[in-house]
Amino acid sequence: MKNVSLFIPCTVDLFLPHIGEATVTLLRRLGINPVYHEEQTCCGQPAINAGYQKEAQKAAKHFIKVFGDDEQVVSPSGSCVCTVKYHYPELFENEPEWRRRAEELAPRMFELSQYLVDVLNVEDVGASFAGKVTYHESCHILRGLGVSEQPKKLIKAVQGTQLVPLNAAESCCGFGGEFANNFPDISESMVKDKVENYLSSGADLLLLCEPGCLLNIGGFLSRNHPGKKAMHLANFLAPNGREGQ
Amino acid sequence: MEIQTEQFTAAVKRELQNARSRAFLKVMPPVLNMKRDIGLSTFPNIDAAQAYGAAIRQEAMARLPELLEEFEKNALANGAKVFWARDAKEANETILQLAKERGVKYVTKGKSMVTEEMGLNEILSKNGIEPWETDLGEFIAQQLHRPPFHIVGPAINVAVEEVCDLFMAKANMKEPTLDPVQLGYAARLFLRDKFHHVQMGITGVNMAVAETGTIINVENEGNIRLTKSSPKTQVSVMSLEKVVPTMKDALHMIRLLSRNCTGQKLTAYVSMDSGPKKKDEIDGPAELFILIIDNGRTKIYQDLKARDALRCIRCAACLNICPVYGQIGGYAYGWAYSGPMGQVLNPLLLGLDRTQDLYRATTLCGACKSVCPVGIDHPSMFLYYRSKDVLGDPYWKGKKRPSSEKRFFKAWISAVTRAWLWNLGIRMVRPLINKDAHDGVISKMKGPFQGWFRTRDLPAMAAKTFHDRWKEIKKI
Ligand code: SF4
C-alpha cells in the first residue's frame, strides 16, 4: 500500500475529529495508507493572519521538521495547505535554508479532493447518497489552490446524488478566522446570505471542503435552522462506500 | 472631508441597519460585476490583457522618479505650468493662491478622488470660493455633505426622493419629480449656468503620460471636459503615482480601466490635454496648471512591499466583488477611498494606528486580488500591515496589540512547537471551553470569543481529539 502523510488541522483535531476519521476511511478504501505523525500540531495560520510573524515562523519550522521528509502530505483543509504552500516561503525571506525547505515542501502539499482527483485519478469513490446536494466554494480552495472542479467531480460520481447550483457559491461565507469573532456584525450578514442561498437552492445538504467554513456555516445553521446541515466532503464520501474498492 | 476611519465599527452597525443601502447593495455590485465580465470578454485574452496592465503599472512604479521628471519636462515643453506639493496643505494653498490671484468667485470641479483626499472643497469654501462639483453623483454627495459611497458612483445609493427634495431645497428645480432623467436635467441646467461664467476649473487626472507630457481624463457625463475647456484657468491635480511611461501604455490602461470600471470598452469621453490652448487653437484654457501631489506617496514608494499599493488605477472592480463592501457599502471606510483599495491605501496614507479596523475587517478571501487589473495582492498587503502593527513599527505608526493577545500567542506558540504540551494544553482547556455545552453544542461563551456566539453555535470540544483517536484508528 502506498503511504501518504496526513495533516489534520487544529480545527479538525479539536472540534471536528470526524472529518479526520472520514479522511482516513476514504483513503484506506482507495488503497492508500494514511500516516499520522503524532508530533503534528497547528500550521500557524492563526498567527500569520493575526500578524504574529515571529510566532508563525516557529510554527512553520515545527511543521517543516515534522513533514519535511514526506513524499506527499494531504489535508482536509485547503486554507492550511495554502498556508504551507504560499505563506511559509514568504515567512523565511531572511532565512534561506528554511526558505529552501519550505519551497521544497510546497509542491508536495495537497488538499483532499485535489489529492483524490489529481493525484490518485479517482472520481468515483464508490459512495451513494439519494438526494440533492450543493457545493460551497471556499475562498482558499477556489482562489488559493484553484480547486473547484475536483470536489464537483467527486460529488457527481456519487450514486443517486444530484448536484444543484448554489447562487453566489464563490462568495465568502464570512469566516476568516478572527474576522468572524472580531467583526460579528459583518460576518453574520455574510453567513446569512450564504445560508439563504443554500436554503433557496433546494438542496438537502450543503457540502464544502474547508473546516473553517463548516464551523461558520454549520454553527449558523445549528443556531438558526437546526433542520439543515452542512457537511465536509470527506464525511459525505466516506460512509456507504463499497468496501474493497 | 473629515476622516472617520476610527469609527468603522459604529458606521458598520449603522449601515447594516440602513435599509436603503442594503437594498441597493443587493442589486448594484452584481450588476456591475456582470457588466465587467461582459466588457472584459471583448479582450481576445483577458488574463493577458490584465497581466499586461499589471506589468505597465509595475514598470511605472519601478521607474517612478525618472518618469515623473520626464513627464514634467514634456508638460513644461507643452506650455503647462507644473507645481509640486508635498502634502495636502501645500496643495490646497497653491490652488487657493491661484484662485485668489485671479479674483475667482467660484470654481467648477470634475470628479476627483485626490481633491477629496486633500479636503480641497472645505478649504475653498472657508476662503469664500465656492466649489461646484459637476459630476452628478459627486454634486449630490457634495450637497448632502456625505463622503462618496462608491469611488465610481459617489451617490449611487441615494434615493431619487432624496435627490428630488435636495434639488427643490437648493433651488435647482421648480417642480418636484422622481424621474431620474428630469433630475439629471435639472442638475445640468443648474451647472450649465455655472460653466457659463466660470473662471477656473479643477479636475483630477486618470493617467499622465511621461513620453508626451499629456494628462488624460475618462468620464461619461462630459462635465470634466466642460470643466477643462470652459474656464481660462485649468488646474489638474494628480497624485504622483498616476504616471505611465508611454502613450501606448496609457491607451492600454484606459481600455482596462473602462472595462473593469463600468464594463465599457471606452468611456463616453476621453480627454487628453497636452498643454494649454495654442495660438492657432480655438478652445481650451489659456493657462494649464498641473499640480503633482505627494501627500505620503514618497514614503509609500520607499517601502518595497507597500509600493504595490501605488499601482491602483481606481477602477473599483475590487469594491464590486468584495463581500465585505457588499454588506456595508462605502461610508464605513470613513474616507475618500473605500472597499479593498481603501483598505490597502488608507492605512499607508493615514497610519496603521488610525486604520486598525480597515486591514483587519477582511476574511482574506482574495476576491479583490482575483479581479485587480494591476495585480495588487490585497490579502498579502493586509497581512503585512498586521505584522507591522503587531511590531509597533514606527515607520507606519503601528499601534501594537493588546497584551492579552500577545500573551495568548506566546502561550500558543510554545505549545505548537511541542506536541506533548499542545496535547496537554488541549486536555486542560477542554473543560473550560465545554463548560456551557449542551448536547455537544456550545451556544454561549463570555470573554474574548463572545463575538462568535452572537449568531453561531460551536461544536463542543471533542472528548477525544483526532490525535487521541488515532491511537485506536491505526490498529484497525
Ligand atoms: S486595487 Fe481595486 S480599484 Fe485599484 S486597480 Fe485594483 S481592482 Fe481597481
Side-chain angles (χ1 to χ4, degrees):
Chain A
M1 257 210 288
K2 182 177 147 74
N3 285 351
V4 67
S5 180
L6 203 56
F7 173 58
I8 297 297
C10 49
T11 43
V12 172
D13 187 41
L14 270 51
F15 294 100
L16 307 160
H18 55 274
I19 296 178
E21 288 184 322
T23 304
V24 171
T25 309
L26 198 56
L27 289 169
R28 282 184 179 162
R29 188 178 299 142
L30 297 170
I32 302 293
N33 181 37
V35 178
Y36 178 81
H37 303 306
E38 299 198 21
E39 310 79 55
Q40 66 180 266
T41 54
C42 164
C43 68
Q45 190 181 174
I48 294 180
N49 287 357
Y52 287 78
Q53 293 248 5
K54 254 190 258 148
E55 285 73 10
Q57 281 165 356
K58 288 183 192 159
K61 283 181 184 171
H62 178 76
F63 189 98
I64 294 171
K65 279 185 215 153
V66 174
F67 291 98
D69 295 329
D70 295 342
E71 202 184 320
Q72 287 170 330
V73 182
V74 64
S75 174
S77 162
S79 68
C80 299
V81 171
C82 279
T83 298
V84 179
K85 255 176 134 61
Y86 303 119
H87 289 299
Y88 278 14
E90 283 172 9
L91 279 176
F92 298 118
E93 249 166 26
N94 302 320
E95 292 180 85
E97 178 54 21
W98 282 104
R99 191 187 170 100
R100 184 189 61 74
R101 290 176 72 176
E103 278 170 350
E104 278 176 14
L105 177 57
R108 290 184 266 136
M109 295 293 302
F110 297 95
E111 182 276 328
L112 178 62
S113 74
Q114 182 185 34
Y115 180 75
L116 297 183
V117 176
D118 295 348
V119 181
L120 300 183
N121 284 313
V122 175
E123 286 179 22
D124 183 355
V125 300
S128 63
F129 172 85
K132 283 186 194 160
V133 301
T134 193
Y135 176 70
H136 159 67
E137 311 256 11
S138 299
C139 302
H140 284 91
I141 295 182
L142 174 70
R143 283 179 284 270
L145 299 172
V147 169
S148 169
E149 281 315 304
Q150 293 88 331
K152 289 178 201 159
K153 282 180 178 165
L154 290 162
I155 296 168
K156 281 182 193 156
V158 171
Q159 231 176 48
T161 294
Q162 189 191 346
L163 177 63
V164 299
L166 176 68
N167 187 22
E170 298 183 3
S171 60
C172 177
C173 71
F175 177 61
E178 60 169 33
F179 173 85
N181 186 57
N182 296 350
F183 298 92
D185 296 312
I186 313 176
S187 178
E188 169 180 359
S189 204
M190 288 165 77
V191 69
K192 215 166 156 189
D193 277 0
K194 181 59 71 182
V195 164
E196 271 164 22
N197 283 321
Y198 164 35
L199 297 180
S200 61
S201 72
D204 310 310
L205 194 58
L206 177 76
L207 296 178
L208 37 70
C209 295
E210 185 65 48
C213 305
L214 181 60
L215 286 177
N216 186 39
I217 301 173
F220 187 84
L221 287 170
S222 153
R223 174 78 58 92
N224 302 286
H225 304 274
K228 295 297 262 187
K229 289 269 169 295
M231 189 185 269
H232 193 282
L233 186 65
N235 292 93
F236 181 69
L237 299 177
N240 315 320
R242 298 189 289 276
E243 288 299 331
Q245 282 245 332
Chain B
M1 175 186 276
E2 199 193 335
I3 303 167
Q4 300 188 327
T5 46
E6 289 98 335
Q7 279 126 52
F8 182 82
T9 316
V12 162
K13 270 209 182 353
R14 215 169 37 239
E15 282 301 292
L16 286 173
Q17 303 301 324
N18 181 343
R20 177 74 208 170
S21 292
R22 300 282 296 154
F24 178 76
L25 285 166
K26 277 233 168 334
V27 184
M28 190 251 330
V31 170
L32 290 175
N33 283 323
M34 193 184 65
K35 283 192 174 172
R36 172 180 176 272
D37 286 345
I38 297 171
L40 281 175
S41 68
T42 59
F43 278 130
N45 182 334
I46 299 171
D47 291 343
Q50 301 266 86
Y52 182 25
I56 291 170
R57 290 302 293 158
Q58 192 173 14
E59 181 191 347
M61 285 315 107
R63 297 173 51 206
L64 190 59
E66 145 200 6
L67 289 174
L68 283 168
E69 267 175 44
E70 189 186 343
F71 171 76
E72 181 183 34
K73 193 179 89 215
N74 290 323
L76 290 173
N78 292 337
K81 299 202 175 68
V82 179
F83 287 120
W84 296 81
R86 254 174 306 207
D87 53 25
K89 191 161 169 278
E90 266 187 30
N92 289 330
E93 276 164 7
T94 305
I95 295 175
L96 195 60
Q97 199 188 338
L98 286 174
K100 281 186 172 162
E101 279 168 10
R102 283 157 187 76
V104 167
K105 299 258 172 333
Y106 70 89
V107 300
T108 62
K109 288 188 67 208
K111 184 172 133 32
S112 146
M113 304 294 299
V114 70
T115 59
E116 299 265 0
E117 175 186 326
M118 288 154 48
L120 175 63
N121 286 359
E122 286 85 342
I123 299 288
L124 288 175
S125 302
K126 256 192 225 149
N127 285 275
I129 298 164
E130 200 72 30
W132 290 104
E133 291 291 348
T134 59
D135 172 271
L136 180 58
E138 197 70 38
F139 177 66
I140 297 169
Q142 182 192 23
Q143 304 294 315
L144 287 172
H145 304 289
R146 285 197 201 150
F149 186 79
H150 188 275
I151 63 171
V152 176
I156 199 164
N157 63 320
V158 178
V160 276
E161 292 81 4
E162 208 175 337
V163 177
C164 172
D165 291 349
L166 176 74
F167 284 12
M168 291 297 289
K170 301 275 171 181
N172 304 335
M173 216 166 53
K174 305 254 162 343
E175 292 289 320
T177 174
L178 295 184
D179 177 10
V181 179
Q182 286 299 322
L183 288 168
Y185 187 65
R188 183 176 286 203
L189 281 184
F190 181 82
L191 289 169
R192 271 293 142 85
D193 186 52
K194 301 287 169 208
F195 283 131
H196 201 66
H197 303 287
V198 66
Q199 296 160 301
M200 186 165 157
I202 303 173
T203 68
V205 170
N206 286 105
M207 228 90 52
V209 186
E211 179 185 50
T212 59
T214 307
I215 45 176
I216 306 180
N217 289 84
V218 296
E219 53 159 343
N220 282 313
E221 293 175 11
N223 292 317
I224 293 183
R225 183 100 130 206
L226 279 170
T227 288
K228 280 165 64 167
S229 54
S230 304
K232 268 173 61 187
T233 306
Q234 178 191 332
V235 182
S236 290
V237 189
M238 71 178 245
S239 49
L240 53 73
E241 75 274 20
K242 294 283 174 155
V243 71
V244 294
T246 65
M247 188 55 89
K248 192 165 162 256
D249 295 332
L251 294 179
H252 183 68
M253 292 319 295
I254 292 173
R255 282 186 204 113
L256 273 182
L257 176 59
S258 308
R259 282 169 173 84
N260 276 292
C261 186
T262 48
Q264 293 164 290
K265 281 194 195 168
L266 203 60
T267 50
Y269 296 86
V270 177
S271 43
M272 304 188 174
D273 292 56
S274 305
K277 185 169 86 166
K278 309 262 180 332
K279 268 208 192 78
D280 51 346
E281 289 172 346
I282 50 168
D283 55 12
E287 46 180 6
L288 167 63
F289 297 98
I290 301 175
L291 181 65
I292 304 177
I293 170 168
D294 182 328
N295 211 28
R297 268 83 174 168
T298 304
K299 186 177 173 189
I300 299 176
Y301 176 80
Q302 278 157 0
D303 178 327
L304 265 181
K305 174 87 184 166
R307 188 186 285 182
D308 277 354
L310 296 179
R311 294 184 191 188
C312 175
I313 55 171
R314 319 279 189 264
C315 71
C318 58
L319 276 74
N320 301 331
I321 201 93
C322 174
V324 171
Y325 178 89
Q327 300 294 343
I328 64 177
Y331 295 150
Y333 300 86
W335 202 32
Y337 307 109
S338 54
M341 53 83 62
Q343 290 171 290
V344 165
L345 208 52
N346 296 351
L348 299 176
L349 294 175
L350 301 172
L352 297 177
D353 51 345
R354 298 182 65 183
T355 51
Q356 272 195 323
D357 280 341
L358 294 195
Y359 49 88
R360 291 190 180 264
T362 146
T363 61
L364 306 168
C365 79
C368 41
K369 173 187 176 188
S370 76
V371 294
C372 182
V374 297
I376 295 177
D377 186 343
H378 311 67
S380 140
M381 307 287 284
F382 301 147
L383 292 180
Y384 182 65
Y385 301 167
R386 292 175 190 186
S387 69
K388 291 284 172 190
D389 189 41
V390 165
L391 295 174
D393 177 73
Y395 192 80
W396 292 119
K397 298 211 202 104
K399 192 173 177 178
K400 291 205 172 163
R401 302 294 295 166
S403 50
S404 55
E405 187 180 287
K406 276 192 215 149
R407 276 199 304 274
F408 171 81
F409 276 106
K410 256 196 138 148
W412 174 87
I413 195 59
S414 52
V416 163
T417 46
R418 298 170 189 86
W420 64 267
L421 186 57
W422 174 260
N423 291 303
L424 179 70
I426 290 167
R427 272 199 290 285
M428 284 165 57
V429 163
R430 186 184 288 123
L432 296 174
I433 302 268
N434 286 354
K435 194 160 50 62
D436 295 319
H438 294 285
D439 297 331
V441 174
I442 311 169
S443 293
K444 59 171 194 282
M445 195 187 284
K446 292 228 166 52
F449 299 113
Q450 61 190 22
W452 174 271
F453 293 94
R454 273 246 313 269
T455 45
R456 277 162 295 229
D457 295 338
L458 187 74
M461 248 172 97
K464 280 188 176 175
T465 59
F466 180 86
H467 186 88
D468 300 331
R469 293 174 195 214
W470 178 254
K471 297 187 170 52
E472 295 146 28
I473 299 171
K474 75 176 167 198
K475 292 182 201 128
I476 305 172

